[in-house]
Amino acid sequence: MSEKHLFETKAVRGASGGDERTGAISFPIYQTATFKHLGLNRSTGYDYSRLQNPTVEELEKTVANLEGGKEGLAFSTGLGAITCSIHLFKAGDHVIVSEDLYGGTFRLFSEIYHELGIEATFVDTRDLKAIESAVKESTKAIYIETPSNPSMRVTDIRGVSAIAKKNDLLLIVDNTFLTPYYQKPLELGADLVVHSGTKYLGGHNDLLAGFLVANDEKVIQRLRFIQKSTGATLGAFEAWLVLRGIKTLHIRLDRGQENAIVIAKWLKQQDEIEDVYYVGLEDGDGYEINKSQSSGFGTTLSFRVKDKNLVEQILNNVKVVSFAESLGGVDTLITYPFTQTHAEVPEELKIRLGVDEYLLRLSVGIENVQDLIQDLERAIKGA
Ligand SMILES: *Cc1c(COP(=O)(O)O)cnc(C)c1O
């Protein structure tokens, strides 16, 4: 498909615009573990679905096209993708990592790879000087999330990329929150993009998936090798679901964002609410930098209540909004990072990040926004 097509068209049509052989508009699900050989040393190009699968390939190409990358790799979960990326490093290597990080990624660095000799330094990556001073002889990469979760901190991707280039480091960006519809890290200087496809790309809270996208052929080859060796690849059916989800990515995000802006502004006016963290609020910390590197704010926001008891009251009383982990789907979800997504993060760091007993996170969906506000109002006011 022509590179000239714009994002929305690429999202709807996918990499190949359907099945060339039969004309099927919906790309077929190749639900098979293995493929028949034509003869000795004669392969169709497909041997075994951990190595190649046409549905998965269609999805990998689609995600790579959307991110503006050369190749994409699909995984069974976001953490499967992140694990693969960390395997680019070996014992003795050092990585600089955003301190406000998805809890599962924090656990990978601090508990799994730390024991295997890969050292991580967690820094506030909003502070470019802090990143520079964390660079040492053994540093191999910088790993960031922007906007971060749940504090919605914004990191200057171009600024970090300059530091990475100067020091010959790989820049890895988790782009789950804004997706390529709003932000394209590779164009801003990143070397590797990470996704939890479970979130906005899938978009319906009905599957788990993960992605890596890169441009450098050597990095891609190494990742492919690690991927087939470690095996957290995506199944054909899940791949098809993500392809279907991506077709509406832009309209889901635009509508969810519209709702999120209204809800963020409404929350700010409520007496019971201490503060609202959303990159779409013009008086927010990261607003300008986020605007300079992306075309949207996403649909995830956090807020702090004044009275700790309100947390339980809200979680127990929402009806349209569901109290559930995860984000990025058409359904609005509310979660309590302190004991849920960030259970693994040490208390001291949680407090520094503002992930305390007053903080709630909303992933705003595409329901009617008045229904959402009424639901939140009832839960907050205890009416
Ligand atoms: C959910 C999430 C992950 C992990 O993805 P899974 O699909 O749950 O394994 C990684 N990064 C971010 C930012 C996430 O929100």
Side-chain angles (χ1 to χ4, degrees), residues 31 70 128 145 300 313 374 377:
Q31 192 68 39
K70 192 163 172 201
L128 296 179
E145 277 177 30
T300 310
Q313 178 183 313
Q374 254 176 38
E377 180 161 38

Side-chain angles (χ1 to χ4, degrees), residues 77-79 82 102 145 174 176-177 196 198-199 209 327:
T77 66
L79 281 177
I82 294 165
Y102 175 72
E145 277 177 30
D174 184 330
T176 299
F177 267 55
S196 168
T198 310
K199 315 294 168 54
L327 56 100

Side-chain angles (χ1 to χ4, degrees), residues 213-233:
V213 184
N215 272 323
D216 183 83
E217 193 55 42
K218 258 168 72 187
V219 171
I220 293 165
Q221 288 315 320
R222 182 67 190 160
L223 290 170
R224 286 259 176 236
F225 178 76
I226 298 163
Q227 183 192 38
K228 76 172 181 188
S229 306
T230 54
T233 49

Side-chain angles (χ1 to χ4, degrees), residues 119-289:
E119 188 201 352
T121 302
F122 298 95
V123 306
D124 181 347
T125 50
R126 288 176 302 184
D127 181 355
L128 296 179
K129 288 210 177 70
I131 299 179
E132 272 206 287
S133 33
V135 177
K136 49 186 183 180
E137 196 64 34
S138 57
T139 308
K140 291 291 185 314
I142 306 172
Y143 185 107
I144 62 172
E145 277 177 30
T146 180
S148 70
N149 167 32
S151 309
M152 306 298 148
R153 290 179 176 180
V154 176
T155 293
D156 175 359
I157 300 176
R158 289 187 190 93
V160 180
S161 163
I163 298 171
K165 295 222 156 47
K166 194 171 111 193
N167 294 282
D168 203 16
L169 311 176
L170 198 73
L171 174 57
I172 308 173
V173 179
D174 184 330
N175 201 30
T176 299
F177 267 55
L178 291 186
T179 83
Y181 180 49
Y182 288 143
Q183 177 169 277
K184 294 193 180 66
L186 295 174
E187 290 177 3
L188 299 165
D191 301 293
L192 186 56
V193 167
V194 171
H195 272 284
S196 168
T198 310
K199 315 294 168 54
Y200 294 96
L201 298 181
H204 297 76
N205 293 316
D206 56 6
L207 62 91
L208 298 173
F211 298 95
L212 294 177
V213 184
N215 272 323
D216 183 83
E217 193 55 42
K218 258 168 72 187
V219 171
I220 293 165
Q221 288 315 320
R222 182 67 190 160
L223 290 170
R224 286 259 176 236
F225 178 76
I226 298 163
Q227 183 192 38
K228 76 172 181 188
S229 306
T230 54
T233 49
L234 191 65
F237 180 60
E238 265 74 12
W240 181 82
L241 280 175
V242 182
L243 279 169
R244 187 165 75 161
I246 285 175
K247 286 175 190 285
T248 55
L249 178 64
H250 48 293
I251 54 177
R252 284 187 285 106
L253 276 170
D254 281 344
R255 179 57 189 277
Q257 175 171 285
E258 235 175 81
N259 285 354
I261 292 170
V262 174
I263 291 173
K265 290 186 173 159
W266 178 81
L267 281 169
K268 265 198 106 141
Q269 288 164 356
Q270 306 312 304
D271 291 338
E272 295 83 354
I273 307 301
E274 174 81 37
D275 215 344
V276 179
Y277 309 95
Y278 179 51
V279 285
L281 292 173
E282 290 176 27
D283 54 357
D285 256 5
Y287 182 80
E288 291 301 331
I289 291 174

